Amino acid sequence: MTAKRQVQKLAGTLCISILFMGSTYANSNVGSPTSLPFYVGPLDQTLMTSPTKNVSQPHNTYILPATPGTAQWGVFNNKLAPVLRIKPGDSVVIQTLAAADNQVIPGVSVAKIIKMNNAVANRGPHTLTGPIYVEGAEPGDVLKIHLNSITPVPYASNDSIPGKGLFPQLFPNGQVSYFHIDLQKKQIQFAPGIVIPLAPFPGVIAVAPAKPGSYDSDPPGQYGGNMDLRELTAGSTLYLPVFMKGGMIWTGDSHAGQGNGEIDLTAIETAFSEFTVTIDLIKNKKLEWPEVETPTSWITVGYDTDLNKALDIVKAQTVQFLMQQRHVTEDAATKIMYKIWDCPIAEVVNGVKGIYCIIPKNHSTVPTPLLSSDDAQSFVTVSKDPDALQAMSTASMAMLQKVAAAKNMPLTQVYILSSFTMDCRFSPFVSGEKEVHCMMPKSLWVG
Amino acid sequence: MTAKRQVQKLAGTLCISILFMGSTYANSNVGSPTSLPFYVGPLDQTLMTSPTKNVSQPHNTYILPATPGTAQWGVFNNKLAPVLRIKPGDSVVIQTLAAADNQVIPGVSVAKIIKMNNAVANRGPHTLTGPIYVEGAEPGDVLKIHLNSITPVPYASNDSIPGKGLFPQLFPNGQVSYFHIDLQKKQIQFAPGIVIPLAPFPGVIAVAPAKPGSYDSDPPGQYGGNMDLRELTAGSTLYLPVFMKGGMIWTGDSHAGQGNGEIDLTAIETAFSEFTVTIDLIKNKKLEWPEVETPTSWITVGYDTDLNKALDIVKAQTVQFLMQQRHVTEDAATKIMYKIWDCPIAEVVNGVKGIYCIIPKNHSTVPTPLLSSDDAQSFVTVSKDPDALQAMSTASMAMLQKVAAAKNMPLTQVYILSSFTMDCRFSPFVSGEKEVHCMMPKSLWVG
């Protein structure tokens, strides 16, 4: 080894040992020399339990803060040690961070966000708290995750990155906007005269897939992940199949709300000050894709890079669900599916695109037919095409142009507003052309 | 220079440049190699403004996230560049962090906290967001800071450090406890059967003093700071004298609640997800010490290393306030002061100790006399001594023993509960022995 090489090796070793000695947290504020970097190792789980209501209470409530040691940027890595181990029936108060290790926050430019997004290949923008290990969970089981309550931080962001989103050619420059979330009124002031009510939900909840190693948090899949399923609000329950021992649960990409489609790439992106879940385990239950239960409905999902295939998957899942739940034949289940059809588009911007179908618990409930033109409550656009994504694109573009003209707003602003609030759904699809209806509530305009 | 020395120098230079390249944020979770350290420079103020309700609204609302670049650990340094510049009348949604650069969080041991507290001399435990520069503020002016709303993060801590607190000899080992804050019910489950309602307020709000340089955030003073004034909740207004151009406002040491006395050293310590203030400027107004306005009262303060002197200061401030407000002579103001006397002890554990007097806005309001023995609502203890701190210590110790016996609780637990909820006040003091009454509400026990 040459002297130069020796120097390099020692310098490298020293730096790496400093950087990875724990969570190195150097305060950069010039003139603040007393703020030293300090070591925080893994959290001590015995100090993460909250006192119970009575001494005989069987289940624990754990608090899981988001720190550099409990959250990761943009990957699910199933080699990671769990940051918390719980028993079925326990609750966890999870904190989540804003995108890119909490760096997409008011005051950060789109140039910086683009740089961060492009710095590492196969890394999503999400910051993910976890993984949480559930004792006794084995492949072939199902995790039942009930969402008790969600409180966002008081700000949100939306960014469009060049080359991404549904219309990258129309908005080539990228943009970022920041918003104050009024936690008292539970709303966002989008612009003068435009107010959006909050509907917070986790954009990402995932379990580890069987495949070992580290994988991009962007595409959703059978393990859940970046589902962007806006019905998954407090009070609902998510069922996820277990692929790896302990399940290994992550959450992030915290949304204060989202339009069905998420067309400009991002939702009302925020972080959760508090996201409280109760996690149960169902042993030996077959489940191919995630399912969601709300107080009034069941939800099946379909995700694929091809939106047409995603539609096939959600249809197959829905038929399967109805056969099991109502003890009917495939033909009968198919007939019921078309009768109760209510299938929004989760998102079309994560590479893997998603659709979900809402199945009312009350067997006699039939959804109101989709609107085909504006009424007093909604702007409406409709498009048909043999290709599902083309139908979605045409209907979305028509909405952008309609609202921009009606409200005298710049198209860039309507793009964001659509990503926040537009609701696009498929008509019942049997064969031939696929039809997408997009709605935007007129109630957003309060001025 | 020897070869070995060369190696050391190069290694050192490389490491320091990596650590201080900005906010070095290295994810330590082994097996997460894609989480790179990333630079975040100062925030761009034009991207910190929230959209207004209407286009003609004259004032801005800014969002100030807490980052390594906008928050400092334990010092007010008036050489720091402002992290935000606002105009009088603007509002700021401030985020704050938990103690020690957000490292006193569930899962962190008391040994680690002691190590962090002792690592640097003359540094408080608080993490302080700021400084905020108010345009037009000059020495001789007064800043009027109205507290609009406060939302804590969903967890809190309490720690006692060896050698500190009111009874260091009795609790020599130090301890830390963590609690879940139920944001929906606005309460803390302290222990099975014991529930504490939330009353969040900032333990620290400060302006920069005239003295240049960096100063410890622990002792409060005429610049405000670590006042631990639990009446300073949402809806109240703080008046602080300006000592330096721009005022330079910091806040931190965020409390979900606190007992008057804060006897075990810390309160219900938390961080604020959101702390929204509106800041106004009053030009050319004489103000020696901070004042607080609540919907029903005015509050004067006195802080000194000697609690007897703090009592003298708050009495002088109260007489001064009454003379000005009610246009009366010193003698008349003194008489009014004794008639309306209601003077709790802010805290006795920050080196500089504090008292405040509550002056009702309604001139005919006279406070209920202090209890001298338990009633249906409260445990009560009383002590008299020529020395104010001795009177406080004796009354506090009597409360610890009374509650431990009545509720069969360990003294260490009652120490924490007292620091969270005990309310100690001075009887009207003219001369001779000082009398302290301590109260603890029986309503905390719900079981």
Side-chain angles (χ1 to χ4, degrees), chain B residues 36-105:
Chain B
L36 292 184
F38 218 96
Y39 175 74
V40 178
L43 298 174
D44 176 350
Q45 179 154 347
T46 59
L47 294 169
M48 296 165 77
T49 322
S50 168
T52 52
K53 283 189 183 161
N54 55 67
V55 286
S56 59
Q57 197 173 300
H59 299 300
N60 278 317
T61 295
Y62 291 98
I63 304 160
L64 176 55
T67 75
T70 63
Q72 305 95 44
W73 178 354
V75 289
F76 304 110
N77 186 335
N78 57 20
K79 277 185 287 185
L80 282 182
V83 296
L84 180 67
R85 282 171 181 270
I86 66 164
K87 289 200 169 72
D90 287 343
S91 298
V92 190
V93 181
I94 306 171
Q95 190 185 28
T96 67
L97 297 175
D101 273 1
N102 218 29
Q103 293 182 104
V104 181
I105 51 172

Side-chain angles (χ1 to χ4, degrees), chain A residues 402-425:
Chain A
K402 175 176 277 198
V403 173
K407 296 295 182 180
N408 194 26
M409 286 172 72
L411 216 54
T412 50
Q413 277 288 92
V414 187
Y415 199 27
I416 304 171
L417 189 61
S418 298
S419 208
F420 283 8
T421 66
M422 184 170 66
D423 179 8
C424 296
R425 297 171 185 237

Side-chain angles (χ1 to χ4, degrees), chain A residues 334-357:
Chain A
T334 307
K335 275 185 192 154
I336 296 170
M337 175 177 75
Y338 286 119
K339 197 177 146 202
I340 62 170
W341 182 280
D342 184 10
C343 301
I345 294 164
E347 52 74 23
V348 289
V349 292
N350 294 331
V352 169
K353 301 156 192 79
I355 308 168
Y356 59 97
C357 289

Side-chain angles (χ1 to χ4, degrees), chain A residues 72-76 122-128 204 206 214-220 223-227 253 350:
Chain A
Q72 306 94 44
W73 177 356
V75 290
F76 304 109
N122 303 320
R123 175 172 70 174
H126 325 107
T127 307
L128 301 154
V204 170
S214 178
Y215 53 108
D216 188 343
S217 66
D218 253 336
Y223 53 88
N226 192 10
M227 293 186 291
D253 189 28
N350 294 331

Side-chain angles (χ1 to χ4, degrees), chain A residues 284-303:
Chain A
N284 303 311
K285 183 179 159 69
K286 192 171 176 293
L287 186 68
E288 205 173 348
W289 284 87
E291 281 173 8
V292 170
E293 184 181 2
T294 76
T296 57
S297 62
W298 289 90
I299 294 171
T300 49
V301 305
Y303 289 94

